[in-house]
Amino acid sequence: MVAFKGALIDLGGVVYVGTTPLAGAVEAIARLHKAKLPVRFLTNTTRTPFKTLQGQLKRMGLAVAAEELLTPALAARRIIEAEGLQPHFLIHPALHADFKGLAPGKQEAVVIGDAGAKFTYPALNAAFRALNRGATFLALANNRSFRDADGQLSLDAGPFVAALSFASGREPRVLGKPSPDFFEAGLKALGCRAEEAVMIGDDVEGDVAGAMAAGIAGVLVRTGKYETGAEASITPPPTFLAEDLAAAVDWTLSRT
Amino acid sequence: MVAFKGALIDLGGVVYVGTTPLAGAVEAIARLHKAKLPVRFLTNTTRTPFKTLQGQLKRMGLAVAAEELLTPALAARRIIEAEGLQPHFLIHPALHADFKGLAPGKQEAVVIGDAGAKFTYPALNAAFRALNRGATFLALANNRSFRDADGQLSLDAGPFVAALSFASGREPRVLGKPSPDFFEAGLKALGCRAEEAVMIGDDVEGDVAGAMAAGIAGVLVRTGKYETGAEASITPPPTFLAEDLAAAVDWTLSRT
């Protein structure tokens, strides 16, 4: 068995719920840092910009450095900068903060997130026409729906990604979990290979099965959105089932 | 070989182009009527209400009776009435005329067409929530795009049908060509079986291949959107390739 050289950790439901750190999470992260195991926190948020997320973590007393955070918007920004893209944005208004100060690009791109009320026919049609002209197609997420403020499910980014994909015949690069691209970006940031990394998450599909499909060990925690028996819903089953982040970190550090 | 007992005929590109009847079309339709062969005109229009279409046909001097016309909206209305549905409409504003005076229904339905600018997030989200409650899912069409007034392609109904389908995990009943349901409705109106009917159209996929998949003889005319060699693009090839509607009617009447 290969020793772990890095850890990928989901935030919501693993490190905190709402604005409260989960019991033992602060100490668990401190132990990872003390052991000098490289860590990246992978979150699928497509509504909270990086600076806001950093502020929230700080207020919760969580010692997470800026370079330890990876969001779909940050991953998109890196691709935009690396490939010299000129994006059309179909994203949540708050998220524009993550794309400030980009240099003008040479090649068009469509960057789609959960734009909510900004998903208008003219905006979607402009994105469709850009795709027809050959624009790069980046999706911050591909979720079907989310639990809205009124308690009911509402349309997430995925249906609009599906609409543009159907219309243009083009497939997007999806930047959130469980996209292999997103886990690859996490591995690259950790500086280790898939079999040397562990992913700790509460979402058996998006976090655990997604990571395992990319060759990363998958640890499912019984906090956040975990529901009893979830570990039996994926094949192969999670590499390890942990009570919480503290137990997941114990297991991880015992294998470094 | 079975004798034909009815004919299904596409309108745009077969009977007329724009507001002008094609050469020989008026006489060809008169011959069908004189031969007392039941005829239904199947059009995929999802922006022109029935009464407007009737007026356009009359002004062109085309003797098409009201009961001879079949549009996706009329097909939807028949389903709504037969099944006692209560529809949420996501359709072009002009098309509401086709759904006037419906009795209140007992079972929710989502009726989606090419709503254009009416495709807003709140409207799509309301339709998604209705589908989650079990609403019947009716799509007037499933086209990817159409040639817009500015000469460029714009998003048609299909991408929004795909969005709702992806979000809800539900498959719609599609009411336009090439949906088998639409050809079935045409056969029912003609009162004959598939092998006793012929479909005459200029769209090798939507009209001809669609009809043939439903067991109906498919005649491709070299007018309208016909492009040289189109007959070779489908397998099996069209049952007959005709110069225009007049030639298609000659062929049809020789087989009654």
Side-chain angles (χ1 to χ4, degrees):
Chain A
M1 191 165 165
V2 181
F4 288 137
K5 293 186 178 161
L8 302 172
I9 306 177
D10 180 34
L11 281 173
V14 176
V15 174
Y16 56 78
V17 168
T19 57
T20 310
L22 284 162
V26 171
E27 295 77 6
I29 293 170
R31 279 192 290 137
L32 286 171
H33 285 151
K34 203 176 164 194
K36 298 201 185 302
L37 191 76
V39 179
R40 290 296 180 276
F41 295 90
L42 260 63
T43 169
N44 261 10
T45 182
T46 52
R47 291 202 167 187
T48 310
F50 184 70
K51 293 247 183 222
T52 307
L53 188 59
Q54 266 193 298
Q56 289 170 351
L57 292 169
K58 200 173 174 186
R59 278 193 298 281
M60 285 187 262
L62 292 162
V64 172
E67 66 272 18
E68 287 182 321
L69 272 179
L70 195 53
T71 69
L74 284 184
R77 185 177 180 121
R78 278 173 203 164
I79 291 171
I80 290 164
E81 290 178 331
E83 301 182 10
L85 304 178
Q86 181 65 39
H88 295 255
F89 288 110
L90 265 172
I91 59 176
H92 192 270
L95 215 63
H96 283 284
D98 282 349
F99 296 100
K100 270 190 186 159
L102 283 169
K106 288 168 194 162
Q107 153 74 19
E108 279 188 299
V110 167
V111 178
I112 180 168
D114 60 333
K118 297 286 176 186
F119 280 127
T120 63
Y121 183 84
L124 286 161
N125 205 39
F128 165 62
R129 290 178 170 194
L131 292 174
N132 282 350
R133 288 190 297 266
T136 298
F137 189 7
L138 301 178
L140 299 183
N142 206 14
N143 303 59
R144 286 166 198 267
S145 58
F146 67 98
R147 187 72 56 187
D148 212 335
D150 63 2
Q152 289 193 64
L153 293 178
S154 283
L155 295 168
D156 208 319
F160 298 93
V161 174
L164 291 179
S165 187
F166 177 82
S168 65
R170 305 272 311 277
E171 285 300 320
R173 281 164 75 180
V174 181
L175 299 171
K177 296 173 286 183
S179 155
D181 276 354
F182 199 49
F183 290 111
E184 288 296 328
L187 290 175
K188 200 174 165 188
L190 288 176
C192 70
R193 289 176 293 127
E195 60 270 30
E196 297 170 334
V198 61
M199 169 78 210
I200 302 169
D202 64 330
D203 182 331
V204 73
E205 281 289 340
D207 295 330
V208 181
M212 292 175 74
I216 299 166
V219 175
L220 180 65
V221 292
R222 294 156 71 108
T223 55
K225 70 169 68 166
Y226 172 81
E227 288 183 7
T228 307
E231 60 275 18
S233 70
I234 60 167
T235 307
T239 313
F240 185 64
L241 179 64
E243 198 54 34
D244 55 13
L245 180 61
V249 165
D250 286 344
W251 183 83
T252 299
L253 289 176
S254 73
R255 279 159 183 77
T256 53
Chain B
M1 192 168 162
V2 183
F4 289 137
K5 292 185 179 164
L8 302 172
I9 305 177
D10 179 34
L11 281 174
V14 176
V15 175
Y16 55 78
V17 168
T19 56
T20 310
L22 284 162
V26 171
E27 294 78 4
I29 293 169
R31 277 192 291 138
L32 286 171
H33 286 150
K34 202 176 164 193
K36 298 202 185 302
L37 191 77
V39 180
R40 290 296 179 276
F41 295 90
L42 260 64
T43 170
N44 260 10
T45 183
T46 53
R47 292 201 166 185
T48 309
F50 184 70
K51 293 247 184 222
T52 307
L53 188 58
Q54 267 193 300
Q56 289 170 351
L57 291 168
K58 199 172 174 186
R59 277 193 297 282
M60 285 187 263
L62 292 162
V64 172
E67 66 272 18
E68 287 182 321
L69 271 180
L70 196 52
T71 68
L74 283 184
R77 184 176 182 123
R78 278 174 202 164
I79 292 171
I80 290 164
E81 290 178 331
E83 302 182 10
L85 303 178
Q86 181 65 38
H88 295 255
F89 288 110
L90 265 170
I91 59 176
H92 192 271
L95 215 64
H96 284 284
D98 282 350
F99 296 99
K100 271 189 186 158
L102 282 170
K106 288 168 193 162
Q107 154 73 18
E108 279 187 301
V110 166
V111 178
I112 180 169
D114 60 334
K118 298 286 176 185
F119 280 126
T120 62
Y121 183 84
L124 286 161
N125 205 40
F128 165 62
R129 290 177 169 195
L131 292 174
N132 282 349
R133 290 190 297 266
T136 299
F137 190 6
L138 302 177
L140 299 183
N142 206 15
N143 303 60
R144 287 166 198 266
S145 58
F146 67 98
R147 188 70 58 184
D148 213 337
D150 64 0
Q152 289 193 64
L153 293 178
S154 283
L155 295 168
D156 208 320
F160 298 94
V161 174
L164 291 179
S165 187
F166 177 82
S168 66
R170 305 271 312 278
E171 285 299 321
R173 282 164 74 179
V174 181
L175 299 171
K177 295 172 284 182
S179 156
D181 276 353
F182 198 48
F183 290 111
E184 288 297 327
L187 290 175
K188 199 173 165 189
L190 287 176
C192 69
R193 290 176 292 128
E195 60 269 31
E196 297 170 333
V198 61
M199 168 80 209
I200 304 169
D202 65 329
D203 182 331
V204 73
E205 281 290 340
D207 295 329
V208 180
M212 291 175 75
I216 299 165
V219 175
L220 180 65
V221 291
R222 295 157 69 108
T223 55
K225 68 168 69 166
Y226 172 82
E227 287 182 8
T228 306
E231 60 276 16
S233 69
I234 60 168
T235 308
T239 313
F240 185 64
L241 179 63
E243 198 54 35
D244 55 14
L245 179 61
V249 166
D250 286 343
W251 183 84
T252 300
L253 288 177
S254 74
R255 278 157 183 77
T256 53

